[in-house]
Amino acid sequence: MEEKNNMTAERSLEIIRESIERSQRTINKNSAIPLIWWGSCVVIFSLLIAYLWKDHGGPVWNLLWAVLWLIGYAGDWIIGKRRESIPTTFVGKTIGHVWATFGVFCCGVGMLLGFIGSGMLPMELIMPKVYVFGCITSIISLCFGMGTTITGLVIRNRIIQVCGLIAGIGGFFGALHFTGHTQLYVMAVVALIGLIVPGVTIFMQNQK
């Protein structure tokens, strides 16, 4: 009886392992288009906001990042309707929680600083006599890279891991050398390396 129970436990563990690996493969396969989509959105909005900031009104245009999230999620919802469906698993939930946390933190900080930059909120409300907009792109780039790298680790994709490391660390230090609208060019490069490059690479692998 004990031997039978051990075999049953071993078989259960094997089934769980196979389920996780199958989920990882499916999520990895399905990640190509969403990565390209979100990366393209960030690149386009970074360049657009940089242009508007420079020539048409200053940092108030950072409020357009809220529009990016709406368009991004709408497009992601449409993409989700067409990709291969998978049952809800620990792997899928973990990745969802990682990016939900990234979105809440970065969107919250970015919008708050956007309101301050546009004059809708006084800087003294949260940052007495300190100007820290030079750091926000570095912080978001670092969070971006961490989210991408963790995603790559969860689904065991080395390409996503490496791109996340390069985008996060490179973006963090790179943004410190730029000010004002020019930091958005750094954000565009971060999105290109951290999202579009791995997305295109996975897409090409799926075509083989």
Side-chain angles (χ1 to χ4, degrees):
M1 179 63 70
E2 183 177 354
E3 182 178 352
K4 183 178 180 179
N5 289 337
N6 289 337
M7 289 296 293
T8 302
E10 289 176 2
R11 179 55 184 161
S12 297
L13 291 174
E14 181 68 16
I15 292 173
I16 293 173
R17 184 185 63 80
E18 291 176 354
S19 176
I20 292 175
E21 290 179 350
R22 184 165 55 250
S23 177
Q24 288 173 327
R25 288 193 298 269
T26 303
I27 292 174
N28 184 61
K29 179 181 177 181
N30 288 344
S31 65
I33 301 302
L35 285 171
I36 295 172
W37 165 250
W38 279 105
S40 299
C41 285
V42 174
V43 169
I44 291 171
F45 270 78
S46 294
L47 298 178
L48 174 62
I49 294 172
Y51 166 72
L52 293 173
W53 183 341
K54 178 183 178 182
D55 297 325
H56 298 282
V60 66
W61 290 105
N62 278 301
L63 295 176
L64 285 178
W65 287 114
V67 179
L68 163 67
W69 289 108
L70 293 175
I71 294 176
Y73 277 113
D76 194 59
W77 180 80
I78 295 173
I79 293 170
K81 291 291 184 180
R82 299 188 177 186
R83 61 190 172 200
E84 181 182 350
S85 61
I86 57 174
T88 302
T89 63
F90 175 76
V91 174
K93 285 184 177 180
T94 299
I95 293 175
H97 292 158
V98 167
W99 286 105
T101 302
F102 164 82
V104 169
F105 274 74
C106 291
C107 186
V109 173
M111 289 298 295
L112 186 58
L113 291 178
F115 285 133
I116 292 174
S118 65
M120 297 175 66
L121 289 175
M123 182 177 294
E124 291 76 11
L125 181 66
I126 59 172
M127 297 175 294
K129 300 180 181 180
V130 178
Y131 190 81
V132 298
F133 289 102
C135 300
I136 184 61
T137 304
S138 294
I139 295 171
I140 292 179
S141 297
L142 186 63
C143 292
F144 209 118
M146 291 172 65
T148 301
T149 303
I150 292 172
T151 299
L153 289 169
V154 171
I155 63 176
R156 296 183 181 179
N157 187 302
R158 188 62 59 84
I159 295 172
I160 296 179
Q161 294 173 32
V162 172
C163 287
L165 285 169
I166 295 173
I169 297 176
F172 176 82
F173 289 105
L176 296 176
H177 295 278
F178 296 88
T179 59
H181 73 279
T182 57
Q183 286 197 339
L184 294 172
Y185 300 138
V186 177
M187 181 60 67
V189 174
V190 168
L192 176 65
I193 297 175
L195 293 177
I196 295 179
V197 170
V200 170
T201 303
I202 293 171
F203 180 80
M204 294 176 64
Q205 291 177 343
N206 291 340
Q207 304 306 306
K208 296 180 180 180

